[in-house]
Amino acid sequence: MSLFKARDWWSAVLGEKEEFDQGCLCVADVDNSGSGQDKVIVGSYMGYLRIFNPHPVKPGDEVQPEDLLLEVQLREPILQVEVGKFVSGTEGLHLAVLHCRKLCVYAVAGTQGNVEHGNQYQIKLMYEHNLQRTACNMTYGPFGGVKGRDLICIQSMDGMLMLFEQESYAFGRFLPGFLLPGPLAYSSRTDSFITVSSCQQVESYKYQVLAFATDADERQDTEQQKLSSGKRLVVDWVLNIGEQALDICVVSFNQGVSSVFVLGERNFFCLKDNGQIRFMKKLDYSPSCFIPYCSVQEGTTNTLIANHNKMLNVYQDVTLKWATQLPHIPVSVKVANFQDLKGVIVTLSDDGHLQCSYLGTDPSLFQAPKVDSREINYEEMNAEMKELQKIIREATKTQVIVTVTVTVTAEVSPDLDEESQATDSEVKAGAVPSVTVKVTIQSRVAAQKPSLAVCVQAPLAVTCDQFVFDDLEPDSSESVVLSVFLKENCSPSELEGTCMVSYNIPTELNPEGIPRVAQCNFSLPLKLVCFPAQASKAANHKLTIDTNKPPISFVTIFPDFIDPSEGDQTNALGFQFLTGSKTTLLASKTSQRYRIQSDQLEDLWLVTKELIHRLEVHFKKQNCKDFACTFSGSIPLQEYFELIDRHFELRVNAEKLQELLSERAVQFRAIERRLLTRFKDKTPAPLQHLDTLLEGTFREVIALADAAEENQANMFQAFTKLKSATHLVIVLISLWQKLSPDQVAILEATFLPLAEDTQELGWEETVDAAVSYLLRTCLSKSSKEQALTLSSQLCMPKDTSRLKKNITVFCDRLAKGGRLSLSTDSATQQAAVIPSGCATIPESDLEERTVIPGSTAMFSSNGQITKQKSKP
């Protein structure tokens, strides 16, 4: 048992599923017994009013029936309960109950019981006020310095202070610049009301100023009548605390000094009467409620502050004196006197846990048992240790075989759908094809809550990507059919998809099931995004792939794009993409080469990948194990850099548009606040064209939002093109340097680290960091480069010059024998095998090497970089 737990003296649980808040708790001698013993008054949002008189036989006892003096349902939610001198002609205490649209004042009286059941308590309605506005909270006190009675001030949800002189309504005033209601308190020493506005300012208003200000209920229509109907409400003093306040409390334990305590969201303030800060305390927790009370040390004040960690802290000014643990999170805390026990802490939670506790420590009655003192037998311990080690060794030798319980397979239809299933496609082509994918889930055991997710990378889309099934029985299966199509108007960088099944396998120890995941990948056909077209001879970009086998007829490897009736003499094949671009594939008649050409660099990727894949599949069926593809041309770095610059330019534009949009939004909100102030003012001035400025700013915000949305779409297309070109560069480098699968994996992880591009983490800075790491480790030229440290923070660069330089150096070092490896030991690096120069084979069109204007670097067949000047 902890010494720092609150000692439970009396507790009760109020009702079922009732809600309570800050103003629902009050302690006072409400029945005017004269004994000085407080009663606990609790109201709930369900309309129940309860009055308790706690008197346990011993601390910690449960609530007894006679502890509940009164319980009555008032039919309306109770927002706040207070006890004061609210009835004229008597100085007795009465109970004020605040509802949403009504204020009721009751007299609580007890009748002496004649039997053992005890006294009988009842409430009598003295008077009530029907409110014209929805109430929020209230405060009371001797407003204006009256003697022997208390007046009530109610704050409405729209910022009106309604003052009641007991049975009669006095006047109402609107707070200036009001937006949302805050806590309200009354200071009798300065005769002023203190609240916290939505501007996060503590504001004080004199009662006399409120009384002589313009009447809120008698607003005139014309401006002249408004100016002559009374004085404007002027604030007495203002203090900016920089946060919202949870509660305000005004205490005056000394006749000469009073303090205003304000509990903020992260700070605790004590103010003087004139609004100056007496002291403040920064809190390292989130408070929930507080209450100041009298301190035994003169000149100081004690404060109880509860927080959302179920802790109650006791402060003497700013010094923490005690901390205690509570069983709940209180929303209201009070200090009361019961049965000669003074200073009982009364707390109430939002779900109705009412507790009376005290601070203190209880002695621990636990005593550790005596340990039997016996001699240790080391031989027995050694024998037991050896036996345990033997069991551990045998357990580690046995391999745990994980059985596959659920499998998922995806079958792609070889033909396109006769009737396209494409919906909401942005492709401008006449008919967008779709292909059917059948996904089958097979379960060997019982699987609970199975769900299937099908994912394809944009711009591809599926007709349905989420499926939820009933629980699978052992040896059962489920199948679903969906279609994949091109949704956005750009060619995809990958024609692949993923199916993932999540499910639970129940066990004896865990009947709810252990989560498991199964997945599979599927490939989509090339004809989903393109169709056969006439081959084109002229193109801006050309690539030549060398092989070590005679060329294969396109009728054999591309039967889905060529009609077999055309014969085996076809050596040119055109691919027309749905987005409008065209790619041509040529096969040499006399050499072992294939050429891919297109007007766009990124359009070469899918055809190049499909060609290499179909050639490998063809020769694998022929049991040819030595087939290989090589590339001896130049890596198109300059064209690749143009795509990088285009993508980076759109990222910069997105950042500029976001800044402009933020500035215009701030301007729009500022104009709105000024217009609201003008509209709420009792003596409004002319709008001074604020409405015109608001409309113009709104149009600018809409235009900037549209521009940002368009830029986002362009950036997505640019990133898709950049990924396609990156895939192409990776394949060309791997064929050029004959990289192993592990090295290709490192290359892909370096240049394709992101599936999606965002402003917080972009492709440029991520690839730059990865390439720099490889240049510093496995591709370093000296130990000095290995000693260089890289920045640990990724941020958007100013330009792409550093990235392009690093990529160029990266290719240069690969050409000079560098080897990709995750090992940082450069001494173990082995030179990669550099392909020897290939003799040129004279051929009419295939042998011409096209140099793109503006290109500055080309990689020749011997692996060296040769500089070329751009021709005018």
Side-chain angles (χ1 to χ4, degrees), residues 456-517:
V456 293
Q457 288 193 10
L460 295 174
V462 294
T463 52
C464 184
D465 58 351
Q466 297 287 338
F467 299 90
V468 179
F469 306 97
D470 296 331
D471 294 349
L472 296 177
E473 300 294 334
D475 297 328
S476 62
S477 63
E478 290 282 350
S479 298
V480 294
V481 176
L482 52 96
S483 295
V484 184
F485 61 93
L486 184 64
K487 185 173 184 179
E488 301 184 32
N489 192 28
C490 61
S491 299
S493 60
E494 293 182 0
L495 288 174
E496 295 180 353
T498 303
C499 298
M500 183 176 297
V501 177
S502 61
Y503 57 95
N504 294 339
I505 298 297
T507 61
E508 295 181 359
L509 299 178
N510 191 354
E512 294 184 358
I514 302 174
R516 292 284 187 267
V517 173

Side-chain angles (χ1 to χ4, degrees), residues 623-634:
N623 294 326
C624 181
K625 299 180 180 180
D626 59 345
F627 171 76
C629 294
T630 57
F631 176 72
S632 58
S634 60

Side-chain angles (χ1 to χ4, degrees), residues 391-399:
I391 296 174
I392 293 174
R393 284 194 300 268
E394 292 178 354
T396 55
K397 288 180 181 179
T398 59
Q399 298 181 355

Side-chain angles (χ1 to χ4, degrees), residues 22 24 45 95 130 222 242 311 324 349 399 439 636 671 742 790:
Q22 190 178 73
C24 296
Y45 285 165
L95 175 63
N130 292 317
T222 65
M311 293 293 294
T324 183
S349 69
Q399 298 181 355
V439 183
I671 299 172
D742 293 339
L790 299 176

Side-chain angles (χ1 to χ4, degrees), residues 198-410:
S198 300
C199 299
Q200 301 178 351
Q201 298 180 145
V202 183
E203 301 177 353
S204 175
Y205 298 92
K206 291 283 189 180
Y207 175 76
Q208 297 296 332
V209 176
L210 289 171
F212 289 102
T214 304
D215 196 341
D217 296 333
E218 297 178 0
R219 289 185 173 181
Q220 304 297 326
D221 294 334
T222 65
E223 184 177 352
Q224 183 65 28
Q225 289 174 335
K226 285 187 176 181
L227 292 174
S228 61
S229 59
K231 297 181 179 179
R232 295 185 61 183
L233 184 57
V234 181
V235 65
D236 184 25
W237 54 261
V238 174
L239 175 66
N240 192 340
I241 60 175
E243 60 181 335
Q244 295 295 336
L246 302 180
D247 198 4
I248 298 178
C249 190
V250 181
V251 295
S252 180
F253 301 120
N254 189 347
Q255 294 297 329
V257 180
S258 68
S259 300
V260 179
F261 290 89
V262 181
L263 181 64
E265 294 174 330
R266 285 296 178 184
N267 294 278
F268 170 57
F269 303 89
C270 178
L271 313 179
K272 297 181 182 179
D273 294 333
N274 57 1
Q276 296 180 357
I277 296 180
R278 191 185 304 275
F279 63 82
M280 67 172 290
K281 174 71 175 177
K282 184 174 180 60
L283 307 176
D284 55 355
Y285 50 80
S286 178
S288 60
C289 58
F290 85 126
I291 183 70
Y293 65 97
C294 183
S295 174
V296 295
Q297 184 176 349
E298 187 176 356
T300 62
T301 303
N302 287 1
T303 309
L304 298 175
I305 302 180
N307 59 37
H308 288 275
N309 298 327
K310 301 182 180 180
M311 293 293 294
L312 183 67
N313 298 326
V314 184
Y315 291 92
Q316 187 177 74
D317 288 347
V318 296
T319 306
L320 180 63
K321 292 294 185 180
W322 194 263
T324 183
Q325 184 77 37
L326 296 173
H328 55 259
I329 300 175
V331 295
S332 183
V333 57
K334 303 291 181 182
V335 178
N337 299 324
F338 300 121
Q339 288 186 343
D340 300 327
L341 183 61
K342 297 183 178 181
V344 177
I345 301 172
V346 183
T347 56
L348 175 67
S349 69
D350 60 349
D351 56 354
H353 284 78
L354 179 65
Q355 177 174 326
C356 298
S357 55
Y358 61 92
L359 304 180
T361 59
D362 290 338
S364 177
L365 303 178
F366 174 76
Q367 293 182 354
K370 294 182 179 181
V371 180
D372 295 336
S373 58
R374 59 179 182 177
E375 295 182 357
I376 300 176
N377 190 336
Y378 291 100
E379 294 182 356
E380 292 181 359
M381 293 183 63
N382 288 334
E384 185 179 0
M385 179 65 72
K386 291 180 180 179
E387 185 67 23
L388 293 175
Q389 289 178 347
K390 181 180 179 182
I391 296 174
I392 293 174
R393 284 194 300 268
E394 292 178 354
T396 55
K397 288 180 181 179
T398 59
Q399 298 181 355
V400 179
I401 301 175
V402 180
T403 58
V404 179
T405 55
V406 175
T407 58
V408 55
T409 57

Side-chain angles (χ1 to χ4, degrees), residues 106-124:
Y106 298 93
V108 180
T111 304
Q112 187 71 26
N114 296 324
V115 293
E116 61 181 3
H117 297 298
N119 302 333
Q120 180 183 2
Y121 285 82
Q122 59 185 1
I123 59 173
K124 179 181 179 182

